Amino acid sequence: MHYTLHQLQIFLKITQTKSITKAAQELHLTQPAVSIQLKNLQDQFEIPLTEVIGRQLYVTDFGAEIAIAAEKILSEVYAINYKTLAYKSQLSGRLKLSVVSTGKYVIPYFLSDFLKQHKGIELVLDVTNKARVIESLEKNEVDFSLVSVLPEKLIVESIELMQNKLYLVGAADETLPSKSYTHEILQELPIIYREQGSGTRYTIERYISTHNLNVQKKMELTSNEAVKQAVIAGLGYSVMPLIGIKNELLNGQLCIIPVKGLPLRSVWNMIWLKNKSFSPVAAAFLLHLQKEKARIINEKFSWFEQFVSKDNI
């Protein structure tokens, strides 16, 4: 047999995502490239690794066994690389994080200096919705997770990073007659939602429920960027985190609609399972956050702190 580590890596990702398309996206490869590597690996076995029923891809029992073996092989390869670096007295290993989708505007700045200082560290970063983030933490698949809403049924420890604020926003050219509103304005506007499982969706639905509002859901989209573009295009309004709309506010594509009771406030927290045994890399990263978070916020997010400190926008 002449299978390659690259083929094993691709096949393992396919078994995890149950989709060639999703595997390609997560590996930053084209779908045809992933399909070709799957076929090349399959050609070396007489027993099917996967099967397609309807339009759904399934991993066979044999494929599941190969995936387990592939994960062990890849883990050993990573271990060889890390041991080589450790022998040179370099901090090395994998740092595994899951981050809610709007957290992608936050987490790079808390990682940048740490990864530059420790070039032997491999970052595994999964940016997804809140439900998947909590699932990955619960299964102990990651070292840390970044969330703006703490899980209710999971015992975790946390470190606060920075505040998160959500405002009602619309396209800048969608003018409204009044300069300020009560929460009833949400009943009069077509509201664009994030998908179920999103932390932003959870926060706004809790607000709507608290005020017994009858809100018109215009559409539901699966990413913050998709919501943002829909709002800019004038398809509706949305309650969005300030952290993700800085450029659009500054260049005049979006505007904040002042509503009494908004912004909705939460805090970005880095969380981990209580009593988790940290690897040297994870322990070093936590220490980095504790020591450097104030400096990082001051250097990278001063615009945010100044912006949200205003009583009226």
Side-chain angles (χ1 to χ4, degrees):
M1 291 189 178
H2 303 287
Y3 48 77
T4 66
L5 293 174
H6 186 52
Q7 289 170 354
L8 294 179
Q9 182 185 37
I10 289 175
F11 179 64
L12 184 58
K13 183 61 67 174
I14 290 171
T15 64
Q16 292 168 344
T17 61
K18 304 295 191 296
S19 165
I20 290 176
T21 300
K22 291 180 180 178
Q25 292 171 347
E26 294 192 17
L27 292 169
H28 305 290
L29 298 171
T30 65
Q31 185 173 333
V34 171
S35 297
I36 289 170
Q37 292 304 321
L38 175 61
K39 181 181 183 302
N40 290 342
L41 181 63
Q42 176 62 77
D43 287 345
Q44 299 178 67
F45 300 96
E46 296 180 0
I47 305 171
L49 299 171
T50 62
E51 57 183 353
V52 177
I53 301 175
R55 300 183 65 180
Q56 179 64 48
L57 182 144
Y58 295 90
V59 180
T60 64
D61 290 343
F62 177 70
E65 293 292 330
I66 297 300
I68 292 171
E71 186 170 21
K72 291 179 180 178
I73 291 169
L74 292 170
S75 294
E76 289 299 321
V77 172
Y78 292 136
I80 291 171
N81 294 335
Y82 301 149
K83 286 175 182 177
T84 302
L85 292 168
Y87 191 77
K88 297 178 181 179
S89 299
Q90 296 182 28
L91 183 63
S92 60
R94 303 177 91 182
L95 177 63
K96 296 178 286 186
L97 305 176
S98 59
V99 178
V100 294
S101 57
T102 48
K104 66 177 173 285
Y105 304 109
V106 175
I107 193 60
Y109 300 98
F110 290 92
L111 285 165
S112 178
D113 290 344
F114 181 71
L115 295 178
K116 287 177 181 177
Q117 292 167 14
H118 306 290
K119 297 186 182 299
I121 292 175
E122 177 191 355
L123 174 65
V124 180
L125 179 63
D126 183 22
V127 180
T128 182
N129 67 25
K130 173 178 171 282
R132 171 57 190 150
V133 165
I134 299 305
E135 180 186 359
S136 67
L137 188 69
E138 186 174 16
K139 292 181 177 179
N140 201 27
E141 296 172 346
V142 295
D143 299 307
F144 302 99
S145 294
L146 181 66
V147 296
S148 59
V149 179
L150 291 173
E152 297 176 354
K153 299 180 180 180
L154 200 60
I155 301 176
V156 300
E157 297 185 71
S158 66
I159 177 174
E160 290 188 1
L161 295 188
M162 56 184 288
Q163 61 181 316
N164 181 35
K165 292 195 175 185
L166 293 87
Y167 293 86
L168 179 64
V169 298
D173 56 1
E174 294 288 324
T175 56
L176 294 175
S178 175
K179 291 186 178 180
S180 62
Y181 301 88
T182 64
H183 55 255
E184 278 86 3
I185 187 64
L186 292 172
Q187 299 182 128
E188 302 173 19
L189 301 174
I191 301 298
I192 301 173
Y193 279 67
R194 282 289 307 278
E195 79 283 6
Q196 288 285 355
S198 156
T200 300
R201 170 75 170 259
Y202 172 84
T203 301
I204 184 58
E205 285 189 333
R206 185 173 57 179
Y207 178 80
I208 289 170
S209 176
T210 299
H211 292 86
N212 296 314
L213 300 176
N214 182 21
V215 175
Q216 172 196 353
K217 184 169 73 173
K218 178 68 174 180
M219 64 181 70
E220 179 179 305
L221 299 172
T222 58
S223 74
N224 195 66
E225 288 299 317
V227 171
K228 185 164 50 178
Q229 294 305 318
V231 174
I232 291 172
L235 296 178
Y237 299 78
S238 190
V239 176
M240 303 190 69
L242 176 65
I243 195 72
I245 56 175
K246 172 189 175 183
N247 292 335
E248 290 74 17
L249 290 172
L250 292 178
N251 65 26
Q253 290 179 292
L254 291 176
C255 65
I256 289 175
I257 301 166
V259 177
K260 185 178 181 180
L262 296 185
L264 303 178
R265 292 172 171 84
S266 61
V267 175
W268 291 108
N269 282 278
M270 190 70 78
I271 64 175
W272 60 93
L273 290 176
K274 187 175 179 61
N275 299 322
K276 180 177 176 61
S277 297
F278 287 128
S279 67
V281 168
F285 180 59
L286 181 57
L287 181 62
H288 171 77
L289 291 179
Q290 293 167 335
K291 292 176 58 178
E292 302 294 337
K293 73 168 187 174
R295 176 189 63 80
I296 294 169
I297 291 171
N298 183 59
E299 291 181 2
K300 306 300 182 181
F301 297 101
S302 58
W303 70 269
F304 181 84
E305 296 298 318
Q306 294 167 8
F307 197 96
V308 301
S309 66
K310 301 176 183 178
D311 293 330
N312 298 299
I313 297 182

